[in-house]
mmCIF file with all atom_site columns, all heavy atoms in Angstrom:
data_model
loop_
_atom_site.group_PDB
_atom_site.id
_atom_site.type_symbol
_atom_site.label_atom_id
_atom_site.label_alt_id
_atom_site.label_comp_id
_atom_site.label_asym_id
_atom_site.label_entity_id
_atom_site.label_seq_id
_atom_site.pdbx_PDB_ins_code
_atom_site.Cartn_x
_atom_site.Cartn_y
_atom_site.Cartn_z
_atom_site.occupancy
_atom_site.B_iso_or_equiv
_atom_site.pdbx_formal_charge
_atom_site.auth_seq_id
_atom_site.auth_comp_id
_atom_site.auth_asym_id
_atom_site.auth_atom_id
_atom_site.pdbx_PDB_model_num
ATOM 1   N N   . ILE T 1 20 ? -3.572  9.611  17.962 1.00 97.00 ? 20 ILE T N   1
ATOM 2   C CA  . ILE T 1 20 ? -3.586  10.407 16.738 1.00 97.00 ? 20 ILE T CA  1
ATOM 3   C C   . ILE T 1 20 ? -2.322  10.120 15.949 1.00 97.00 ? 20 ILE T C   1
ATOM 4   O O   . ILE T 1 20 ? -1.226  10.310 16.481 1.00 97.00 ? 20 ILE T O   1
ATOM 5   C CB  . ILE T 1 20 ? -3.743  11.915 17.010 1.00 97.00 ? 20 ILE T CB  1
ATOM 6   C CG1 . ILE T 1 20 ? -5.049  12.228 17.727 1.00 97.00 ? 20 ILE T CG1 1
ATOM 7   C CG2 . ILE T 1 20 ? -3.651  12.715 15.677 1.00 97.00 ? 20 ILE T CG2 1
ATOM 8   C CD1 . ILE T 1 20 ? -5.208  13.669 18.121 1.00 97.00 ? 20 ILE T CD1 1
ATOM 9   N N   . LEU T 1 21 ? -2.487  9.654  14.760 1.00 97.00 ? 21 LEU T N   1
ATOM 10  C CA  . LEU T 1 21 ? -1.374  9.364  13.889 1.00 97.00 ? 21 LEU T CA  1
ATOM 11  C C   . LEU T 1 21 ? -1.319  10.467 12.795 1.00 97.00 ? 21 LEU T C   1
ATOM 12  O O   . LEU T 1 21 ? -2.364  10.840 12.273 1.00 97.00 ? 21 LEU T O   1
ATOM 13  C CB  . LEU T 1 21 ? -1.552  7.973  13.197 1.00 97.00 ? 21 LEU T CB  1
ATOM 14  C CG  . LEU T 1 21 ? -1.883  6.820  14.117 1.00 97.00 ? 21 LEU T CG  1
ATOM 15  C CD1 . LEU T 1 21 ? -1.931  5.528  13.342 1.00 97.00 ? 21 LEU T CD1 1
ATOM 16  C CD2 . LEU T 1 21 ? -0.917  6.702  15.260 1.00 97.00 ? 21 LEU T CD2 1
ATOM 17  N N   . ARG T 1 22 ? -0.120  10.976 12.547 1.00 96.00 ? 22 ARG T N   1
ATOM 18  C CA  . ARG T 1 22 ? 0.025   12.126 11.679 1.00 96.00 ? 22 ARG T CA  1
ATOM 19  C C   . ARG T 1 22 ? 0.790   11.761 10.398 1.00 96.00 ? 22 ARG T C   1
ATOM 20  O O   . ARG T 1 22 ? 1.724   11.004 10.401 1.00 96.00 ? 22 ARG T O   1
ATOM 21  C CB  . ARG T 1 22 ? 0.744   13.256 12.387 1.00 96.00 ? 22 ARG T CB  1
ATOM 22  C CG  . ARG T 1 22 ? -0.101  13.878 13.489 1.00 96.00 ? 22 ARG T CG  1
ATOM 23  C CD  . ARG T 1 22 ? 0.587   15.101 14.089 1.00 96.00 ? 22 ARG T CD  1
ATOM 24  N NE  . ARG T 1 22 ? -0.360  15.765 14.976 1.00 96.00 ? 22 ARG T NE  1
ATOM 25  C CZ  . ARG T 1 22 ? -0.706  15.397 16.227 1.00 96.00 ? 22 ARG T CZ  1
ATOM 26  N NH1 . ARG T 1 22 ? -0.205  14.321 16.726 1.00 96.00 ? 22 ARG T NH1 1
ATOM 27  N NH2 . ARG T 1 22 ? -1.586  16.082 16.916 1.00 96.00 ? 22 ARG T NH2 1
ATOM 28  N N   . CYS T 1 23 ? 0.369   12.446 9.351  1.00 94.00 ? 23 CYS T N   1
ATOM 29  C CA  . CYS T 1 23 ? 0.938   12.265 8.028  1.00 94.00 ? 23 CYS T CA  1
ATOM 30  C C   . CYS T 1 23 ? 1.206   13.643 7.466  1.00 94.00 ? 23 CYS T C   1
ATOM 31  O O   . CYS T 1 23 ? 0.305   14.478 7.495  1.00 94.00 ? 23 CYS T O   1
ATOM 32  C CB  . CYS T 1 23 ? -0.087  11.507 7.154  1.00 94.00 ? 23 CYS T CB  1
ATOM 33  S SG  . CYS T 1 23 ? 0.298   11.409 5.409  1.00 94.00 ? 23 CYS T SG  1
ATOM 34  N N   . VAL T 1 24 ? 2.402   13.855 6.992  1.00 90.00 ? 24 VAL T N   1
ATOM 35  C CA  . VAL T 1 24 ? 2.740   15.192 6.437  1.00 90.00 ? 24 VAL T CA  1
ATOM 36  C C   . VAL T 1 24 ? 3.215   15.033 4.988  1.00 90.00 ? 24 VAL T C   1
ATOM 37  O O   . VAL T 1 24 ? 4.318   14.557 4.728  1.00 90.00 ? 24 VAL T O   1
ATOM 38  C CB  . VAL T 1 24 ? 3.827   15.880 7.212  1.00 90.00 ? 24 VAL T CB  1
ATOM 39  C CG1 . VAL T 1 24 ? 4.116   17.285 6.677  1.00 90.00 ? 24 VAL T CG1 1
ATOM 40  C CG2 . VAL T 1 24 ? 3.459   15.981 8.705  1.00 90.00 ? 24 VAL T CG2 1
ATOM 41  N N   . PRO T 1 25 ? 2.387   15.387 4.003  1.00 85.00 ? 25 PRO T N   1
ATOM 42  C CA  . PRO T 1 25 ? 2.801   15.302 2.621  1.00 85.00 ? 25 PRO T CA  1
ATOM 43  C C   . PRO T 1 25 ? 3.776   16.428 2.314  1.00 85.00 ? 25 PRO T C   1
ATOM 44  O O   . PRO T 1 25 ? 3.638   17.546 2.829  1.00 85.00 ? 25 PRO T O   1
ATOM 45  C CB  . PRO T 1 25 ? 1.466   15.536 1.822  1.00 85.00 ? 25 PRO T CB  1
ATOM 46  C CG  . PRO T 1 25 ? 0.413   15.468 2.825  1.00 85.00 ? 25 PRO T CG  1
ATOM 47  C CD  . PRO T 1 25 ? 0.958   15.747 4.151  1.00 85.00 ? 25 PRO T CD  1
ATOM 48  N N   . TYR T 1 31 ? -5.173  13.654 -3.203 1.00 90.00 ? 31 TYR T N   1
ATOM 49  C CA  . TYR T 1 31 ? -5.849  12.483 -2.611 1.00 90.00 ? 31 TYR T CA  1
ATOM 50  C C   . TYR T 1 31 ? -4.997  11.929 -1.457 1.00 90.00 ? 31 TYR T C   1
ATOM 51  O O   . TYR T 1 31 ? -3.776  11.845 -1.564 1.00 90.00 ? 31 TYR T O   1
ATOM 52  C CB  . TYR T 1 31 ? -6.052  11.386 -3.647 1.00 90.00 ? 31 TYR T CB  1
ATOM 53  C CG  . TYR T 1 31 ? -6.884  11.819 -4.857 1.00 90.00 ? 31 TYR T CG  1
ATOM 54  C CD1 . TYR T 1 31 ? -6.327  12.499 -5.914 1.00 90.00 ? 31 TYR T CD1 1
ATOM 55  C CD2 . TYR T 1 31 ? -8.244  11.571 -4.865 1.00 90.00 ? 31 TYR T CD2 1
ATOM 56  C CE1 . TYR T 1 31 ? -7.085  12.888 -6.993 1.00 90.00 ? 31 TYR T CE1 1
ATOM 57  C CE2 . TYR T 1 31 ? -9.007  11.973 -5.959 1.00 90.00 ? 31 TYR T CE2 1
ATOM 58  C CZ  . TYR T 1 31 ? -8.405  12.634 -7.045 1.00 90.00 ? 31 TYR T CZ  1
ATOM 59  O OH  . TYR T 1 31 ? -9.146  13.061 -8.084 1.00 90.00 ? 31 TYR T OH  1
ATOM 60  N N   . PHE T 1 32 ? -5.694  11.563 -0.398 1.00 92.00 ? 32 PHE T N   1
ATOM 61  C CA  . PHE T 1 32 ? -4.994  11.096 0.796  1.00 92.00 ? 32 PHE T CA  1
ATOM 62  C C   . PHE T 1 32 ? -5.692  9.815  1.235  1.00 92.00 ? 32 PHE T C   1
ATOM 63  O O   . PHE T 1 32 ? -6.916  9.687  1.174  1.00 92.00 ? 32 PHE T O   1
ATOM 64  C CB  . PHE T 1 32 ? -5.089  12.139 1.930  1.00 92.00 ? 32 PHE T CB  1
ATOM 65  C CG  . PHE T 1 32 ? -4.522  13.464 1.520  1.00 92.00 ? 32 PHE T CG  1
ATOM 66  C CD1 . PHE T 1 32 ? -5.277  14.401 0.864  1.00 92.00 ? 32 PHE T CD1 1
ATOM 67  C CD2 . PHE T 1 32 ? -3.220  13.759 1.816  1.00 92.00 ? 32 PHE T CD2 1
ATOM 68  C CE1 . PHE T 1 32 ? -4.734  15.643 0.438  1.00 92.00 ? 32 PHE T CE1 1
ATOM 69  C CE2 . PHE T 1 32 ? -2.639  14.984 1.430  1.00 92.00 ? 32 PHE T CE2 1
ATOM 70  C CZ  . PHE T 1 32 ? -3.409  15.912 0.738  1.00 92.00 ? 32 PHE T CZ  1
ATOM 71  N N   . TYR T 1 33 ? -4.831  8.915  1.751  1.00 95.00 ? 33 TYR T N   1
ATOM 72  C CA  . TYR T 1 33 ? -5.345  7.591  2.142  1.00 95.00 ? 33 TYR T CA  1
ATOM 73  C C   . TYR T 1 33 ? -4.716  7.124  3.440  1.00 95.00 ? 33 TYR T C   1
ATOM 74  O O   . TYR T 1 33 ? -3.575  7.501  3.755  1.00 95.00 ? 33 TYR T O   1
ATOM 75  C CB  . TYR T 1 33 ? -4.981  6.516  1.068  1.00 95.00 ? 33 TYR T CB  1
ATOM 76  C CG  . TYR T 1 33 ? -5.443  6.857  -0.327 1.00 95.00 ? 33 TYR T CG  1
ATOM 77  C CD1 . TYR T 1 33 ? -4.709  7.701  -1.202 1.00 95.00 ? 33 TYR T CD1 1
ATOM 78  C CD2 . TYR T 1 33 ? -6.623  6.341  -0.848 1.00 95.00 ? 33 TYR T CD2 1
ATOM 79  C CE1 . TYR T 1 33 ? -5.118  8.012  -2.449 1.00 95.00 ? 33 TYR T CE1 1
ATOM 80  C CE2 . TYR T 1 33 ? -7.046  6.628  -2.103 1.00 95.00 ? 33 TYR T CE2 1
ATOM 81  C CZ  . TYR T 1 33 ? -6.270  7.475  -2.913 1.00 95.00 ? 33 TYR T CZ  1
ATOM 82  O OH  . TYR T 1 33 ? -6.675  7.752  -4.163 1.00 95.00 ? 33 TYR T OH  1
ATOM 83  N N   . TRP T 1 34 ? -5.467  6.312  4.210  1.00 97.00 ? 34 TRP T N   1
ATOM 84  C CA  . TRP T 1 34 ? -4.881  5.537  5.256  1.00 97.00 ? 34 TRP T CA  1
ATOM 85  C C   . TRP T 1 34 ? -5.138  4.073  4.992  1.00 97.00 ? 34 TRP T C   1
ATOM 86  O O   . TRP T 1 34 ? -6.229  3.655  4.599  1.00 97.00 ? 34 TRP T O   1
ATOM 87  C CB  . TRP T 1 34 ? -5.528  5.906  6.607  1.00 97.00 ? 34 TRP T CB  1
ATOM 88  C CG  . TRP T 1 34 ? -5.036  7.177  7.199  1.00 97.00 ? 34 TRP T CG  1
ATOM 89  C CD1 . TRP T 1 34 ? -5.669  8.379  7.179  1.00 97.00 ? 34 TRP T CD1 1
ATOM 90  C CD2 . TRP T 1 34 ? -3.763  7.388  7.882  1.00 97.00 ? 34 TRP T CD2 1
ATOM 91  N NE1 . TRP T 1 34 ? -4.912  9.348  7.779  1.00 97.00 ? 34 TRP T NE1 1
ATOM 92  C CE2 . TRP T 1 34 ? -3.770  8.759  8.248  1.00 97.00 ? 34 TRP T CE2 1
ATOM 93  C CE3 . TRP T 1 34 ? -2.702  6.566  8.225  1.00 97.00 ? 34 TRP T CE3 1
ATOM 94  C CZ2 . TRP T 1 34 ? -2.671  9.359  8.915  1.00 97.00 ? 34 TRP T CZ2 1
ATOM 95  C CZ3 . TRP T 1 34 ? -1.655  7.130  8.916  1.00 97.00 ? 34 TRP T CZ3 1
ATOM 96  C CH2 . TRP T 1 34 ? -1.616  8.506  9.259  1.00 97.00 ? 34 TRP T CH2 1
ATOM 97  N N   . VAL T 1 47 ? -9.471  4.358  4.528  1.00 96.00 ? 47 VAL T N   1
ATOM 98  C CA  . VAL T 1 47 ? -10.252 5.524  4.190  1.00 96.00 ? 47 VAL T CA  1
ATOM 99  C C   . VAL T 1 47 ? -9.507  6.322  3.106  1.00 96.00 ? 47 VAL T C   1
ATOM 100 O O   . VAL T 1 47 ? -8.281  6.294  3.047  1.00 96.00 ? 47 VAL T O   1
ATOM 101 C CB  . VAL T 1 47 ? -10.512 6.391  5.439  1.00 96.00 ? 47 VAL T CB  1
ATOM 102 C CG1 . VAL T 1 47 ? -9.206  6.950  5.977  1.00 96.00 ? 47 VAL T CG1 1
ATOM 103 C CG2 . VAL T 1 47 ? -11.503 7.486  5.189  1.00 96.00 ? 47 VAL T CG2 1
ATOM 104 N N   . SER T 1 48 ? -10.289 6.979  2.237  1.00 94.00 ? 48 SER T N   1
ATOM 105 C CA  . SER T 1 48 ? -9.684  7.913  1.294  1.00 94.00 ? 48 SER T CA  1
ATOM 106 C C   . SER T 1 48 ? -10.315 9.271  1.514  1.00 94.00 ? 48 SER T C   1
ATOM 107 O O   . SER T 1 48 ? -11.472 9.369  1.980  1.00 94.00 ? 48 SER T O   1
ATOM 108 C CB  . SER T 1 48 ? -9.908  7.442  -0.161 1.00 94.00 ? 48 SER T CB  1
ATOM 109 O OG  . SER T 1 48 ? -11.288 7.237  -0.440 1.00 94.00 ? 48 SER T OG  1
ATOM 110 N N   . PHE T 1 49 ? -9.571  10.326 1.176  1.00 92.00 ? 49 PHE T N   1
ATOM 111 C CA  . PHE T 1 49 ? -9.942  11.697 1.558  1.00 92.00 ? 49 PHE T CA  1
ATOM 112 C C   . PHE T 1 49 ? -9.585  12.625 0.390  1.00 92.00 ? 49 PHE T C   1
ATOM 113 O O   . PHE T 1 49 ? -8.465  12.584 -0.090 1.00 92.00 ? 49 PHE T O   1
ATOM 114 C CB  . PHE T 1 49 ? -9.109  12.093 2.809  1.00 92.00 ? 49 PHE T CB  1
ATOM 115 C CG  . PHE T 1 49 ? -9.548  13.327 3.511  1.00 92.00 ? 49 PHE T CG  1
ATOM 116 C CD1 . PHE T 1 49 ? -10.563 13.321 4.398  1.00 92.00 ? 49 PHE T CD1 1
ATOM 117 C CD2 . PHE T 1 49 ? -8.861  14.531 3.276  1.00 92.00 ? 49 PHE T CD2 1
ATOM 118 C CE1 . PHE T 1 49 ? -10.912 14.475 5.081  1.00 92.00 ? 49 PHE T CE1 1
ATOM 119 C CE2 . PHE T 1 49 ? -9.195  15.678 3.948  1.00 92.00 ? 49 PHE T CE2 1
ATOM 120 C CZ  . PHE T 1 49 ? -10.238 15.665 4.860  1.00 92.00 ? 49 PHE T CZ  1
ATOM 121 N N   . TYR T 1 50 ? -10.602 13.348 -0.092 1.00 89.00 ? 50 TYR T N   1
ATOM 122 C CA  . TYR T 1 50 ? -10.347 14.224 -1.215 1.00 89.00 ? 50 TYR T CA  1
ATOM 123 C C   . TYR T 1 50 ? -11.182 15.456 -1.063 1.00 89.00 ? 50 TYR T C   1
ATOM 124 O O   . TYR T 1 50 ? -12.372 15.383 -0.643 1.00 89.00 ? 50 TYR T O   1
ATOM 125 C CB  . TYR T 1 50 ? -10.773 13.495 -2.509 1.00 89.00 ? 50 TYR T CB  1
ATOM 126 C CG  . TYR T 1 50 ? -10.828 14.370 -3.733 1.00 89.00 ? 50 TYR T CG  1
ATOM 127 C CD1 . TYR T 1 50 ? -9.646  14.916 -4.273 1.00 89.00 ? 50 TYR T CD1 1
ATOM 128 C CD2 . TYR T 1 50 ? -12.010 14.672 -4.333 1.00 89.00 ? 50 TYR T CD2 1
ATOM 129 C CE1 . TYR T 1 50 ? -9.717  15.714 -5.386 1.00 89.00 ? 50 TYR T CE1 1
ATOM 130 C CE2 . TYR T 1 50 ? -12.092 15.442 -5.478 1.00 89.00 ? 50 TYR T CE2 1
ATOM 131 C CZ  . TYR T 1 50 ? -10.930 16.018 -5.994 1.00 89.00 ? 50 TYR T CZ  1
ATOM 132 O OH  . TYR T 1 50 ? -10.962 16.786 -7.102 1.00 89.00 ? 50 TYR T OH  1
ATOM 133 N N   . VAL T 1 67 ? -10.775 11.077 10.439 1.00 96.00 ? 67 VAL T N   1
ATOM 134 C CA  . VAL T 1 67 ? -9.643  11.698 9.768  1.00 96.00 ? 67 VAL T CA  1
ATOM 135 C C   . VAL T 1 67 ? -9.941  13.175 9.589  1.00 96.00 ? 67 VAL T C   1
ATOM 136 O O   . VAL T 1 67 ? -11.096 13.586 9.480  1.00 96.00 ? 67 VAL T O   1
ATOM 137 C CB  . VAL T 1 67 ? -9.364  11.047 8.361  1.00 96.00 ? 67 VAL T CB  1
ATOM 138 C CG1 . VAL T 1 67 ? -8.813  9.660  8.497  1.00 96.00 ? 67 VAL T CG1 1
ATOM 139 C CG2 . VAL T 1 67 ? -10.609 11.088 7.529  1.00 96.00 ? 67 VAL T CG2 1
ATOM 140 N N   . GLU T 1 68 ? -8.888  13.949 9.534  1.00 93.00 ? 68 GLU T N   1
ATOM 141 C CA  . GLU T 1 68 ? -9.028  15.355 9.219  1.00 93.00 ? 68 GLU T CA  1
ATOM 142 C C   . GLU T 1 68 ? -7.728  15.939 8.693  1.00 93.00 ? 68 GLU T C   1
ATOM 143 O O   . GLU T 1 68 ? -6.649  15.354 8.841  1.00 93.00 ? 68 GLU T O   1
ATOM 144 C CB  . GLU T 1 68 ? -9.537  16.186 10.394 1.00 93.00 ? 68 GLU T CB  1
ATOM 145 C CG  . GLU T 1 68 ? -8.647  16.201 11.582 1.00 93.00 ? 68 GLU T CG  1
ATOM 146 C CD  . GLU T 1 68 ? -9.191  17.109 12.710 1.00 93.00 ? 68 GLU T CD  1
ATOM 147 O OE1 . GLU T 1 68 ? -10.329 17.635 12.579 1.00 93.00 ? 68 GLU T OE1 1
ATOM 148 O OE2 . GLU T 1 68 ? -8.540  17.278 13.678 1.00 93.00 ? 68 GLU T OE2 1
ATOM 149 N N   . ARG T 1 69 ? -7.870  17.072 8.023  1.00 89.00 ? 69 ARG T N   1
ATOM 150 C CA  . ARG T 1 69 ? -6.669  17.770 7.475  1.00 89.00 ? 69 ARG T CA  1
ATOM 151 C C   . ARG T 1 69 ? -6.887  19.218 7.910  1.00 89.00 ? 69 ARG T C   1
ATOM 152 O O   . ARG T 1 69 ? -7.194  20.079 7.105  1.00 89.00 ? 69 ARG T O   1
ATOM 153 C CB  . ARG T 1 69 ? -6.656  17.633 5.987  1.00 89.00 ? 69 ARG T CB  1
ATOM 154 C CG  . ARG T 1 69 ? -5.360  17.926 5.358  1.00 89.00 ? 69 ARG T CG  1
ATOM 155 C CD  . ARG T 1 69 ? -5.254  17.468 3.958  1.00 89.00 ? 69 ARG T CD  1
ATOM 156 N NE  . ARG T 1 69 ? -4.057  17.953 3.354  1.00 89.00 ? 69 ARG T NE  1
ATOM 157 C CZ  . ARG T 1 69 ? -4.010  18.790 2.304  1.00 89.00 ? 69 ARG T CZ  1
ATOM 158 N NH1 . ARG T 1 69 ? -5.129  19.170 1.712  1.00 89.00 ? 69 ARG T NH1 1
ATOM 159 N NH2 . ARG T 1 69 ? -2.853  19.249 1.875  1.00 89.00 ? 69 ARG T NH2 1
ATOM 160 N N   . PRO T 1 70 ? -6.665  19.497 9.181  1.00 80.00 ? 70 PRO T N   1
ATOM 161 C CA  . PRO T 1 70 ? -7.085  20.786 9.776  1.00 80.00 ? 70 PRO T CA  1
ATOM 162 C C   . PRO T 1 70 ? -6.413  22.003 9.238  1.00 80.00 ? 70 PRO T C   1
ATOM 163 O O   . PRO T 1 70 ? -7.043  23.051 9.128  1.00 80.00 ? 70 PRO T O   1
ATOM 164 C CB  . PRO T 1 70 ? -6.851  20.579 11.250 1.00 80.00 ? 70 PRO T CB  1
ATOM 165 C CG  . PRO T 1 70 ? -5.766  19.555 11.333 1.00 80.00 ? 70 PRO T CG  1
ATOM 166 C CD  . PRO T 1 70 ? -5.982  18.627 10.157 1.00 80.00 ? 70 PRO T CD  1
ATOM 167 N N   . ASP T 1 71 ? -5.141  21.894 8.899  1.00 78.00 ? 71 ASP T N   1
ATOM 168 C CA  . ASP T 1 71 ? -4.368  23.102 8.513  1.00 78.00 ? 71 ASP T CA  1
ATOM 169 C C   . ASP T 1 71 ? -3.956  23.025 7.083  1.00 78.00 ? 71 ASP T C   1
ATOM 170 O O   . ASP T 1 71 ? -3.113  23.811 6.612  1.00 78.00 ? 71 ASP T O   1
ATOM 171 C CB  . ASP T 1 71 ? -3.163  23.265 9.418  1.00 78.00 ? 71 ASP T CB  1
ATOM 172 C CG  . ASP T 1 71 ? -2.252  21.975 9.392  1.00 78.00 ? 71 ASP T CG  1
ATOM 173 O OD1 . ASP T 1 71 ? -2.584  21.070 8.614  1.00 78.00 ? 71 ASP T OD1 1
ATOM 174 O OD2 . ASP T 1 71 ? -1.278  21.926 10.139 1.00 78.00 ? 71 ASP T OD2 1
ATOM 175 N N   . GLY T 1 72 ? -4.584  22.187 6.302  1.00 77.00 ? 72 GLY T N   1
ATOM 176 C CA  . GLY T 1 72 ? -4.248  22.044 4.894  1.00 77.00 ? 72 GLY T CA  1
ATOM 177 C C   . GLY T 1 72 ? -2.932  21.351 4.642  1.00 77.00 ? 72 GLY T C   1
ATOM 178 O O   . GLY T 1 72 ? -2.506  21.250 3.497  1.00 77.00 ? 72 GLY T O   1
ATOM 179 N N   . SER T 1 73 ? -2.302  20.894 5.678  1.00 81.00 ? 73 SER T N   1
ATOM 180 C CA  . SER T 1 73 ? -0.981  20.205 5.529  1.00 81.00 ? 73 SER T CA  1
ATOM 181 C C   . SER T 1 73 ? -1.043  18.840 6.153  1.00 81.00 ? 73 SER T C   1
ATOM 182 O O   . SER T 1 73 ? -1.093  17.836 5.452  1.00 81.00 ? 73 SER T O   1
ATOM 183 C CB  . SER T 1 73 ? 0.130   21.045 6.140  1.00 81.00 ? 73 SER T CB  1
ATOM 184 O OG  . SER T 1 73 ? 1.349   20.366 6.060  1.00 81.00 ? 73 SER T OG  1
ATOM 185 N N   . ASN T 1 74 ? -1.073  18.773 7.484  1.00 89.00 ? 74 ASN T N   1
ATOM 186 C CA  . ASN T 1 74 ? -1.097  17.496 8.164  1.00 89.00 ? 74 ASN T CA  1
ATOM 187 C C   . ASN T 1 74 ? -2.408  16.765 7.926  1.00 89.00 ? 74 ASN T C   1
ATOM 188 O O   . ASN T 1 74 ? -3.474  17.389 7.851  1.00 89.00 ? 74 ASN T O   1
ATOM 189 C CB  . ASN T 1 74 ? -0.963  17.700 9.704  1.00 89.00 ? 74 ASN T CB  1
ATOM 190 C CG  . ASN T 1 74 ? 0.406   18.166 10.077 1.00 89.00 ? 74 ASN T CG  1
ATOM 191 O OD1 . ASN T 1 74 ? 1.331   18.104 9.352  1.00 89.00 ? 74 ASN T OD1 1
ATOM 192 N ND2 . ASN T 1 74 ? 0.470   18.692 11.281 1.00 89.00 ? 74 ASN T ND2 1
ATOM 193 N N   . PHE T 1 75 ? -2.276  15.489 7.733  1.00 93.00 ? 75 PHE T N   1
ATOM 194 C CA  . PHE T 1 75 ? -3.462  14.620 7.536  1.00 93.00 ? 75 PHE T CA  1
ATOM 195 C C   . PHE T 1 75 ? -3.423  13.620 8.698  1.00 93.00 ? 75 PHE T C   1
ATOM 196 O O   . PHE T 1 75 ? -2.475  12.881 8.834  1.00 93.00 ? 75 PHE T O   1
ATOM 197 C CB  . PHE T 1 75 ? -3.378  13.938 6.184  1.00 93.00 ? 75 PHE T CB  1
ATOM 198 C CG  . PHE T 1 75 ? -4.476  12.998 5.851  1.00 93.00 ? 75 PHE T CG  1
ATOM 199 C CD1 . PHE T 1 75 ? -5.777  13.366 5.953  1.00 93.00 ? 75 PHE T CD1 1
ATOM 200 C CD2 . PHE T 1 75 ? -4.179  11.710 5.389  1.00 93.00 ? 75 PHE T CD2 1
ATOM 201 C CE1 . PHE T 1 75 ? -6.813  12.489 5.638  1.00 93.00 ? 75 PHE T CE1 1
ATOM 202 C CE2 . PHE T 1 75 ? -5.206  10.838 5.046  1.00 93.00 ? 75 PHE T CE2 1
ATOM 203 C CZ  . PHE T 1 75 ? -6.499  11.247 5.161  1.00 93.00 ? 75 PHE T CZ  1
ATOM 204 N N   . THR T 1 76 ? -4.486  13.648 9.542  1.00 95.00 ? 76 THR T N   1
ATOM 205 C CA  . THR T 1 76 ? -4.432  12.843 10.732 1.00 95.00 ? 76 THR T CA  1
ATOM 206 C C   . THR T 1 76 ? -5.483  11.744 10.763 1.00 95.00 ? 76 THR T C   1
ATOM 207 O O   . THR T 1 76 ? -6.556  11.861 10.171 1.00 95.00 ? 76 THR T O   1
ATOM 208 C CB  . THR T 1 76 ? -4.594  13.700 11.993 1.00 95.00 ? 76 THR T CB  1
ATOM 209 O OG1 . THR T 1 76 ? -5.869  14.286 11.974 1.00 95.00 ? 76 THR T OG1 1
ATOM 210 C CG2 . THR T 1 76 ? -3.541  14.767 12.123 1.00 95.00 ? 76 THR T CG2 1
ATOM 211 N N   . LEU T 1 77 ? -5.095  10.665 11.434 1.00 97.00 ? 77 LEU T N   1
ATOM 212 C CA  . LEU T 1 77 ? -6.040  9.522  11.712 1.00 97.00 ? 77 LEU T CA  1
ATOM 213 C C   . LEU T 1 77 ? -6.147  9.450  13.203 1.00 97.00 ? 77 LEU T C   1
ATOM 214 O O   . LEU T 1 77 ? -5.133  9.326  13.889 1.00 97.00 ? 77 LEU T O   1
ATOM 215 C CB  . LEU T 1 77 ? -5.478  8.226  11.134 1.00 97.00 ? 77 LEU T CB  1
ATOM 216 C CG  . LEU T 1 77 ? -6.276  6.979  11.495 1.00 97.00 ? 77 LEU T CG  1
ATOM 217 C CD1 . LEU T 1 77 ? -7.610  6.946  10.736 1.00 97.00 ? 77 LEU T CD1 1
ATOM 218 C CD2 . LEU T 1 77 ? -5.480  5.719  11.120 1.00 97.00 ? 77 LEU T CD2 1
ATOM 219 N N   . CYS T 1 92 ? 0.076   5.993  5.699  1.00 96.00 ? 92 CYS T N   1
ATOM 220 C CA  . CYS T 1 92 ? -0.561  7.090  4.982  1.00 96.00 ? 92 CYS T CA  1
ATOM 221 C C   . CYS T 1 92 ? -0.056  7.028  3.529  1.00 96.00 ? 92 CYS T C   1
ATOM 222 O O   . CYS T 1 92 ? 1.096   6.654  3.273  1.00 96.00 ? 92 CYS T O   1
ATOM 223 C CB  . CYS T 1 92 ? -0.115  8.425  5.602  1.00 96.00 ? 92 CYS T CB  1
ATOM 224 S SG  . CYS T 1 92 ? -0.566  9.905  4.675  1.00 96.00 ? 92 CYS T SG  1
ATOM 225 N N   . ALA T 1 93 ? -0.907  7.339  2.590  1.00 94.00 ? 93 ALA T N   1
ATOM 226 C CA  . ALA T 1 93 ? -0.533  7.410  1.194  1.00 94.00 ? 93 ALA T CA  1
ATOM 227 C C   . ALA T 1 93 ? -1.134  8.633  0.544  1.00 94.00 ? 93 ALA T C   1
ATOM 228 O O   . ALA T 1 93 ? -2.190  9.116  0.969  1.00 94.00 ? 93 ALA T O   1
ATOM 229 C CB  . ALA T 1 93 ? -0.955  6.188  0.407  1.00 94.00 ? 93 ALA T CB  1
ATOM 230 N N   . VAL T 1 94 ? -0.379  9.185  -0.426 1.00 91.00 ? 94 VAL T N   1
ATOM 231 C CA  . VAL T 1 94 ? -0.866  10.410 -1.092 1.00 91.00 ? 94 VAL T CA  1
ATOM 232 C C   . VAL T 1 94 ? -0.781  10.188 -2.599 1.00 91.00 ? 94 VAL T C   1
ATOM 233 O O   . VAL T 1 94 ? -0.063  9.321  -3.090 1.00 91.00 ? 94 VAL T O   1
ATOM 234 C CB  . VAL T 1 94 ? -0.034  11.641 -0.670 1.00 91.00 ? 94 VAL T CB  1
ATOM 235 C CG1 . VAL T 1 94 ? -0.192  11.906 0.787  1.00 91.00 ? 94 VAL T CG1 1
ATOM 236 C CG2 . VAL T 1 94 ? 1.409   11.463 -1.071 1.00 91.00 ? 94 VAL T CG2 1
#
Side-chain angles (χ1 to χ4, degrees):
Chain T
I20 298 176
L21 311 183
R22 289 186 170 77
C23 171
V24 183
Y31 299 84
F32 302 86
Y33 304 85
W34 282 101
V47 65
S48 57
F49 191 84
Y50 169 70
V67 288
E68 61 177 6
R69 197 165 172 242
D71 56 5
S73 176
N74 291 344
F75 178 51
T76 62
L77 174 71
C92 170
V94 298

